[in-house]
Amino acid sequence: MEFELLDIIVFVAYALLIIGVGLWVSRGKGDTSEDYFLASKSLPWWAIGASLIAANISAEQYIGMSGSGFALGIAIASYEWMAALTLIIVGKFFLPVFIEKKLYTIPEFIEVRYGKNLKTILAVFWIALFVFVNLTSVLYLGATALDTIIGTGDGSIFMESIIGLALFAAAYSLYGGLSAVAWTDVVQVVLLVIGGLITTYIALEHVASDGNIFHGMVEIYEQVPEKFSMILDKGEIITPNGKDAWWDLPGIAVLVGGLWVANLYYWGFNQYIIQRTLAAKSLKESQKGIVMAGFLKLLIPLITVVPGIIAFVMNADVSGEIVQGVADASFFRGDGTIINDNAAPWLIKEFVPAGLKGLVLAALAAAIVSSLASMLNSTATIFTMDIYKPYIQKGNSEKGLVNVGRITASIALVIAIILAPQLKSLGQVFQYIQEYTGVVSPGILAVFMLGLFWKKTTNKAAIWGVLVSIPIALYFKVGPNGWVESPFFITWPFMYQMMATWILTMLIMVGISYAETGGKDQEKAIKITKGLFKTSPVFNIGSFAIILIIAMLYAMFW
């Protein structure tokens, strides 16, 4: 992509603004662990809502969701719209318990409800996951996206992009902690939404025969009506590379199946997501922030999925196929396979004018950097509060805890910088590792759900639940793919596998708990009081509006 001076000025101004805001809001703060890790518990609802979305949206979603729109259509929006519904459940039933217990970290809940040993095991697991998978993948995918958009796509600025993104995130997040991260996220989300809407607006203008964006939306619907189906039947959508989309989005399972497992685990028990809700001024502020994030999630498909559908329409032949000679050459690899994820970079490169290109690139950088900063802060929080403080710290120095947090985040970032370039040569291995980290989520979700809402769950049952969930998940995952030939293996989509693993793990935990204590309530059980889940009128009205909008969207695009 050719950048002009105006684009460079816009992008540099964005970078300076983010660093300036991060350092300014951090001035005079950071002397205590509460200041650094929970932003002095002073975040208002609108900062929480913006920060939740900024932490969630990164390069793989900004680029990847457009690629999925190109390949699958609007059905991929289930991940966003069902996330809005999940957020309501998190705000109503999970946050009141977390805030009442005055948690810093998600592993802390495990200690409060079960025991210290399981907490430590899961803390180590999450630190490893954040450093070796999350941070590394965000750097790798972010640098790849920037290399594609502003470089030549052959790795000419790949390493420079990794280092630049890492230093950018470190410039304000290491010093300012969660306060710097959350307040800069407000700016980042504004850029994300504006940059995304600009791309969608310009793309709709170009796809419409008369330049009217509303007519453009009608035209893409008329040309590819199959791309506007939310609940897929088997064989209904075949991706440009010949895969049946049903295996990724298996019909009604997106509403009542395994997508709930992924969403509840991600939004309810993921440190770098939930941490900003723990930093609220109050429970009511936190819940209002959750509602704001829910409304923003409803908007996300318009700025990520719809551009992918537009790119498909503009590159498809008269029969609705992506073929060489008709589609842009950048959509094809050397072996002729189709690069779905080129949808957003192609639109930006071809149609976004000078000046606005710099703004759209700033939006992409905002998506990457905000996620990096959130992951760094959460890695530091878990290590400092769940590993260093109980096992290593001598004395009670709050300043010492903050310094350990900064050092931890710095080391995590250096490791990620070193590992990220290796993913080029280990691409297939990395995809394997990333996919199999999802194998553990049903078991961890089972531990949290029963820990929250079933008083009889024992510590021993929780440990066994985490352990047995992995072979159960592997039974569904490995066997059906032909690695083990047996009549006992059945082929299921991954969403079915997650749901089955979650249910079976909970049943095993219930059985162990009864066998161990005869069904007695545990001393550490969460005490549910009558008023614990009472919510404000603002939360109730906002939640009802979100549910109504989701119902309307599914009714329109069923």
Side-chain angles (χ1 to χ4, degrees):
M1 185 188 298
E2 293 181 6
F3 275 81
E4 298 184 12
L5 179 61
L6 183 58
D7 295 307
I8 296 170
I9 291 172
V10 169
F11 186 78
V12 170
Y14 148 72
L16 293 175
L17 173 65
I18 293 299
I19 293 172
V21 169
L23 296 178
W24 185 74
V25 298
S26 308
R27 69 199 190 287
K29 296 180 180 179
D31 290 333
T32 70
S33 56
E34 185 175 286
D35 289 341
Y36 189 77
F37 298 120
L38 291 182
S40 307
K41 290 195 175 180
S42 62
L43 294 183
W45 63 270
W46 46 275
I48 292 166
S51 192
L52 281 166
I53 299 302
N56 167 234
I57 301 297
S58 190
E60 66 266 32
Q61 278 147 311
Y62 204 89
I63 302 296
M65 288 289 280
S66 292
S68 295
F70 185 91
L72 309 174
I74 199 71
I76 197 67
S78 281
Y79 277 95
E80 303 301 316
W81 293 341
M82 293 305 289
L85 197 54
T86 306
L87 279 164
I88 293 171
I89 292 170
V90 171
K92 174 78 174 176
F93 298 109
F94 298 176
L95 272 187
V97 176
F98 294 163
I99 289 178
E100 184 193 51
K101 300 298 180 186
K102 299 180 180 178
L103 303 182
Y104 277 71
T105 70
I106 287 299
E108 256 187 295
F109 172 80
I110 297 295
E111 182 176 16
V112 168
R113 175 59 180 86
Y114 293 113
K116 197 170 184 178
N117 290 342
L118 183 57
K119 178 203 80 167
T120 304
I121 291 168
L122 290 179
V124 171
F125 163 75
W126 270 310
I127 290 168
L129 185 67
F130 285 164
V131 175
F132 295 106
V133 177
N134 292 14
L135 276 170
T136 307
S137 65
V138 168
L139 271 180
Y140 171 73
L141 294 168
T144 301
L146 292 181
D147 184 56
T148 301
I149 294 173
I150 63 177
T152 58
D154 61 356
S156 57
I157 61 165
F158 177 75
M159 197 63 214
E160 290 85 349
S161 297
I162 285 178
I163 295 171
L165 289 169
L167 291 178
F168 192 174
Y172 65 91
S173 66
L174 293 187
Y175 173 74
L178 185 61
S179 182
V181 172
W183 287 106
T184 54
D185 279 350
V186 175
V187 181
Q188 311 267 42
V189 160
V190 172
L191 274 170
L192 261 171
V193 174
I194 292 174
L197 288 175
I198 285 171
T199 305
T200 304
Y201 181 91
I202 292 171
L204 284 170
E205 268 192 332
H206 280 83
V207 80
S209 53
D210 61 356
N212 183 295
I213 61 168
F214 299 106
H215 294 167
M217 186 65 84
V218 172
E219 285 184 32
I220 62 171
Y221 178 78
E222 289 176 346
Q223 289 187 49
V224 285
E226 70 278 4
K227 296 281 188 186
F228 287 87
S229 176
M230 286 298 301
I231 306 299
L232 302 182
D233 294 323
K234 213 168 187 178
E236 181 179 354
I237 295 284
I238 305 300
T239 70
N241 280 321
K243 183 182 179 182
D244 188 347
W246 181 85
W247 288 98
D248 293 320
L249 297 163
I252 201 71
V254 299
L255 293 180
V256 295
L259 188 56
W260 280 105
V261 177
N263 273 343
L264 286 170
Y265 170 77
Y266 180 86
W267 291 101
F269 310 112
N270 184 345
Q271 178 69 24
Y272 77 84
I273 292 295
I274 208 72
Q275 187 169 344
R276 52 262 305 126
T277 65
L278 304 178
K281 290 179 178 178
S282 65
L283 174 60
K284 285 186 178 180
E285 285 290 293
S286 187
Q287 289 172 327
K288 285 193 286 186
I290 285 272
V291 170
M292 175 185 167
F295 278 111
L296 286 172
K297 290 303 280 183
L298 299 178
L299 179 66
I300 296 299
L302 182 62
I303 64 179
T304 56
V305 181
V306 172
I309 300 174
I310 296 169
F312 181 88
V313 169
M314 298 177 84
N315 284 277
D317 65 7
V318 290
S319 64
E321 302 291 330
I322 301 296
V323 296
Q324 290 181 327
V326 177
D328 190 87
S330 62
F331 282 96
F332 298 93
R333 297 184 182 88
D335 61 1
T337 54
I338 297 164
I339 309 171
N340 299 316
D341 286 351
N342 193 48
W346 177 78
L347 285 171
I348 296 168
K349 181 172 65 176
E350 292 294 327
F351 302 114
V352 178
L356 290 180
K357 278 182 182 173
L359 188 62
V360 171
L361 181 65
L364 177 60
I368 301 164
V369 170
S370 59
S371 294
L372 279 175
S374 296
M375 291 170 188
L376 285 172
N377 188 257
S378 294
T379 304
T381 305
I382 291 178
F383 177 82
T384 305
M385 304 307 293
D386 294 323
I387 306 294
Y388 179 80
K389 186 176 181 180
Y391 294 110
I392 303 171
Q393 184 186 29
K394 296 176 181 177
N396 296 307
S397 170
E398 285 287 303
K399 188 69 176 175
L401 291 176
V402 172
N403 289 335
V404 168
R406 288 175 177 147
I407 293 167
T408 302
S410 301
I411 293 171
L413 190 58
V414 170
I415 293 171
I417 291 171
I418 293 169
L419 291 179
Q422 312 308 316
L423 302 188
K424 276 190 172 182
S425 58
L426 296 175
Q428 293 301 313
V429 176
F430 181 72
Q431 290 302 321
Y432 171 89
I433 293 169
Q434 196 172 38
E435 189 170 327
Y436 275 78
T437 54
V439 165
V440 302
S441 59
I444 293 175
L445 179 64
V447 167
F448 275 99
M449 294 297 282
L450 288 180
L452 278 168
F453 303 115
W454 197 54
K455 294 181 179 180
K456 304 180 193 308
T457 316
T458 65
N459 181 52
K460 186 177 180 181
I463 293 171
W464 275 107
V466 171
L467 294 176
V468 302
S469 68
I470 296 172
I472 292 171
L474 290 175
Y475 167 84
F476 289 119
K477 181 124 194 92
V478 177
N481 287 324
W483 289 22
V484 180
E485 290 191 14
S486 167
F488 298 105
F489 287 116
I490 50 179
T491 303
W492 276 354
F494 189 54
M495 282 192 189
Y496 288 10
Q497 297 171 24
M498 284 196 296
M499 193 69 173
T501 303
W502 180 50
I503 292 170
L504 286 172
T505 302
M506 287 198 294
L507 289 174
I508 290 169
M509 288 176 62
V510 169
I512 292 172
S513 296
Y514 269 109
E516 187 180 358
T517 66
K520 293 180 181 177
D521 288 356
Q522 298 300 293
E523 286 185 15
K524 287 193 167 188
I526 302 300
K527 292 174 177 60
I528 306 295
T529 60
K530 188 176 180 181
L532 185 62
F533 300 133
K534 188 177 180 180
T535 47
S536 68
V538 172
F539 180 86
N540 295 337
I541 293 167
S543 299
F544 180 76
I546 289 171
I547 293 168
L548 188 62
I549 292 168
I550 293 171
M552 290 171 60
L553 288 168
Y554 273 95
M556 286 172 60
F557 298 116
W558 188 275

